[in-house]
């Protein structure tokens, strides 16, 4: 008998450390890599893994995400029982919105019952990686586990930013700590830890029982890592770890929680390298998205008629609808419908959809969010003091210009 899997993607995060990119949108809806949104990577993993019954749980500023899903991911035949559907917070059970990751599933557990699911796959919608989830589901079944947690091996000094899974020598989970300073390391490797990827496979009957118990605890944060897993460890239930198998086909495993501006910037900049760590061009594991119908990208002026007025883009990603008109772009990402005007210079930057860079403007190490007009002659990224007066500036010197900012 075929077992039925129901997939939930947690897509309601505020992403406060990504502000101001999350000022107007939830973290999974933040643009990435020119044409994508962060959520596209989790959804592509689902489709490539053969998982076709998917709910997205939304809450915070979800309009942009909902529009993206409606336009770009309405691709599955409902007559075959396949779907990608959005479940916004609805106060179905009480008068509260989602109180945590576990509560979000608890408030929507009626869908598990109505779909007669045997297993529940829970995913985070805000990480960049490639993974075949069905390999993990097969492992979960072989282990006959009540819960399987996906983990990735990382250096132990990264533990203050991660959830750390403690295992015994047989690979059974015996503890979980959120962002510990002194983490429990892998038994066979004292220099590394098992970091939780926020990916769980539960037996449906088990998760129903555990969520029901957790919902009535006043001292719970209703979170899988902080509450549900420790609760299951105490009860002696079988929890297995699944070591991340990367579909990226590179020597080093690639999994990024791009939760800060600096991490987001670095992950984008990787894509413009000669040999990027993350491969967008693998036809066997495509990453799909929604793209509006823009004309092809264009560079104009070769410099013959107007010396020095050359439309040039080097070591860059240039999306559809872009016009590099007599300006210079280097080591940058241009999202759709960006215009670079004559004598402008853009270096080491991410320009999102609809940005217009005026003549003689100079931009370096900056993230310019959607629909910003950079006036003629403006300089961004060259003077930290001046940048800090007008824009958001990270400790490492990345300038972020928020969506729709009017620059005088």
């Amino acid at each position: 008998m075929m077992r039925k899997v129901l997939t939930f993607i947690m897509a309601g995060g505020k992403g406060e450390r990504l502000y101001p990119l999350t000022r107007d949108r939830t973290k999974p809806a933040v643009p990435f890599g020119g044409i994508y949104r962060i959520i596209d990577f989790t959804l592509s993993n689902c489709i490539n893994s053969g998982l076709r019954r998917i709910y997205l749980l939304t809450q915070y500023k979800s309009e942009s995400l909902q529009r993206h899903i409606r336009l770009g991911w309405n691709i599955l035949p409902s007559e075959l029982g396949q779907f990608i559907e959005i479940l916004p917070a609805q106060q179905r059970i009480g008068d509260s919105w989602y109180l945590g990751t576990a509560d979000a599933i608890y408030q929507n557990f009626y869908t598990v019952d109505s779909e007669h699911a045997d297993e529940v796959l829970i995913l985070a919608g805000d990480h960049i990686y490639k993974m075949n989830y069905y390999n993990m589901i097969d492992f979960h079944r072989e282990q006959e586990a009540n819960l399987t947690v996906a983990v990735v091996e990382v250096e132990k000094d990264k533990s203050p930013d991660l959830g750390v899974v403690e295992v015994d020598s047989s690979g059974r989970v015996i503890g979980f700590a959120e962002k510990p300073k002194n983490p429990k390391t892998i038994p066979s490797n004292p220099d590394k830890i098992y970091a939780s990827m926020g990916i769980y496979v539960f037996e449906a009957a088990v998760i129903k029982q555990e969520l029901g118990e957790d919902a009535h605890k006043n001292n719970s944060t209703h979170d899988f890592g902080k509450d549900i897993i420790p609760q299951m460890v105490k009860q002696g239930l079988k929890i297995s770890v699944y070591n991340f198998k990367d579909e990226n086909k590179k020597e080093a495993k690639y999994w990024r929680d791009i939760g800060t501006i600096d991490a987001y910037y670095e992950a984008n900049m990787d894509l413009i390298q000669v040999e990027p760590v993350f491969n967008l061009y693998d036809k066997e594991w495509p990453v799909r998205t929604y793209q509006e119908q823009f004309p092809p990208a264009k560079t104009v002026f070769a410099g013959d008629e107007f010396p020095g007025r050359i439309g040039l883009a080097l070591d860059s990603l240039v999306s559809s609808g872009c016009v590099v008109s007599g300006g210079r772009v280097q080591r940058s990402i241009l999202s759709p419908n960006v215009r670079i005007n004559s004598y402008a210079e853009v270096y080491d930057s991410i320009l999102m959809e609809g940005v217009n860079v005026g003549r003689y403007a100079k931009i370096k190490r900056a993230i310019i969010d959607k629909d910003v007009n950079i006036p003629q002659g403006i300089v961004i990224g060259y003077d930290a003091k001046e940048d800090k007066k007008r824009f958001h500036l990270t400790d490492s010197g990345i300038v972020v210009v928020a969506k729709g900012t009017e620059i005088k």
Side-chain angles (χ1 to χ4, degrees):
M1 183 183 73
M2 283 288 290
R3 304 199 79 196
K4 294 176 74 174
V5 181
L6 191 62
T7 301
F8 290 95
I9 301 177
M10 315 304 287
K14 287 185 179 180
E16 292 171 342
R17 294 177 302 158
L18 269 182
Y19 188 88
L21 301 180
T22 50
R23 187 192 68 186
D24 302 294
R25 54 170 88 87
T26 183
K27 182 180 172 185
V30 171
F32 181 85
I35 62 172
Y36 305 99
R37 306 281 184 128
I38 295 174
I39 190 69
D40 290 328
F41 296 87
T42 304
L43 282 171
S44 294
N45 285 341
C46 287
I47 298 302
N48 294 338
S49 301
L51 294 163
R52 307 293 168 89
R53 289 154 16 105
I54 303 161
Y55 285 115
L56 274 75
L57 304 185
T58 63
Q59 180 157 269
Y60 172 83
K61 295 187 178 178
S62 61
E63 189 277 331
S64 173
L65 178 64
Q66 289 177 15
R67 181 177 182 273
H68 179 71
I69 299 300
R70 186 179 73 250
L71 294 175
W73 285 95
N74 185 22
I75 58 174
L76 298 178
S78 58
E79 62 269 22
L80 297 181
Q82 302 178 11
F83 55 84
I84 297 172
E85 289 185 13
I86 289 175
L87 286 177
Q90 303 170 71
Q91 296 183 326
R92 282 188 63 93
I93 291 176
D95 57 1
S96 64
W97 302 110
Y98 296 151
L99 300 173
T101 53
D103 182 61
I105 303 293
Y106 179 67
Q107 290 201 34
N108 291 288
F109 206 83
Y110 70 97
T111 59
V112 180
D113 291 331
S114 63
E115 291 290 333
H116 307 292
D118 298 300
E119 290 147 332
V120 176
L121 173 66
I122 298 168
L123 306 170
D126 53 6
H127 298 149
I128 306 293
Y129 63 105
K130 297 179 182 180
M131 177 176 172
N132 188 326
Y133 301 129
Y134 235 102
N135 289 341
M136 178 179 174
I137 293 165
D138 286 339
F139 174 83
H140 169 82
R141 292 169 179 170
E142 289 166 8
Q143 294 289 307
E144 297 182 343
N146 300 120
L147 161 64
T148 299
V149 181
V151 295
V152 59
E153 295 182 21
V154 299
E155 302 300 324
K156 69 177 182 181
D157 60 0
K158 302 279 178 59
S159 67
D161 298 318
L162 300 164
V164 178
V165 180
E166 181 187 356
V167 301
D168 62 19
S169 57
S170 69
R172 185 165 174 159
V173 175
I174 56 173
F176 187 99
E178 194 68 55
K179 301 180 179 177
K181 290 182 180 175
N182 299 303
K184 300 288 186 181
T185 56
I186 299 172
S188 60
N189 190 342
D191 296 323
K192 292 196 172 183
I193 57 170
Y194 278 143
S196 171
M197 299 173 70
I199 300 172
Y200 311 110
V201 181
F202 278 93
E203 292 297 298
V206 171
I207 191 174
K208 185 173 187 177
Q209 173 75 23
E210 297 303 317
L211 293 182
E213 287 182 19
D214 176 74
H216 297 99
K217 291 182 179 177
N218 293 328
N219 61 344
S220 175
T221 60
H222 311 293
D223 181 84
F224 281 108
K226 294 176 185 174
D227 305 291
I228 300 297
I229 294 176
Q231 174 180 296
M232 293 178 68
V233 169
K234 279 184 185 175
Q235 294 171 6
L237 294 175
K238 185 173 182 182
I239 308 173
S240 295
V241 289
Y242 177 77
N243 208 333
F244 172 46
K245 290 183 176 60
D246 194 0
E247 296 292 335
N248 192 42
K249 300 185 178 75
K250 296 278 182 161
E251 188 175 338
K253 292 183 179 181
Y254 189 100
W255 176 77
R256 297 288 186 275
D257 177 2
I258 48 175
T260 66
I261 292 292
D262 288 335
Y264 172 85
Y265 176 82
E266 288 167 11
N268 272 277
M269 288 297 104
D270 168 61
L271 300 175
I272 61 172
Q273 304 305 313
V274 176
E275 290 284 342
V277 181
F278 191 75
N279 181 12
L280 288 174
Y281 299 90
D282 182 3
K283 293 180 181 178
E284 294 179 5
W285 200 268
V287 181
R288 57 167 293 121
T289 187
Y290 167 68
Q291 297 189 65
E292 288 187 47
Q293 297 300 309
F294 289 116
K298 181 181 182 183
T299 61
V300 291
F301 300 113
D304 295 338
E305 190 176 349
F306 303 97
R309 190 182 182 190
I310 301 173
L312 196 62
L314 302 171
D315 296 328
S316 298
L317 297 183
V318 182
S319 305
S320 297
C322 290
V323 179
V324 182
S325 177
R328 182 184 181 92
V329 177
Q330 197 161 350
R331 300 180 304 276
S332 295
I333 295 177
L334 305 188
S335 301
N337 211 28
V338 167
R339 185 178 181 93
I340 311 295
N341 289 289
S342 294
Y343 310 108
E345 298 177 12
V346 178
Y347 300 108
D348 305 297
S349 294
I350 303 163
L351 274 55
M352 296 190 189
E353 188 174 329
V355 169
N356 180 68
V357 180
R359 287 186 168 206
Y360 298 101
K362 293 176 70 178
I363 299 170
K364 183 176 74 172
R365 283 174 57 81
I367 302 171
I368 316 293
D369 207 338
K370 292 176 72 171
D371 301 326
V372 172
N373 180 56
I374 307 293
Q376 182 167 322
I378 287 287
V379 176
I380 298 173
Y382 288 82
D383 186 329
K385 273 189 179 178
E386 287 302 310
D387 289 329
K388 202 165 188 176
K389 289 177 188 175
R390 299 179 294 170
F391 312 118
H392 180 90
L393 187 68
T394 72
D395 292 340
S396 69
I398 307 299
V399 185
V400 187
V401 180
K403 180 180 177 182
T405 298
E406 287 190 29
I407 302 173
K408 304 295 185 188

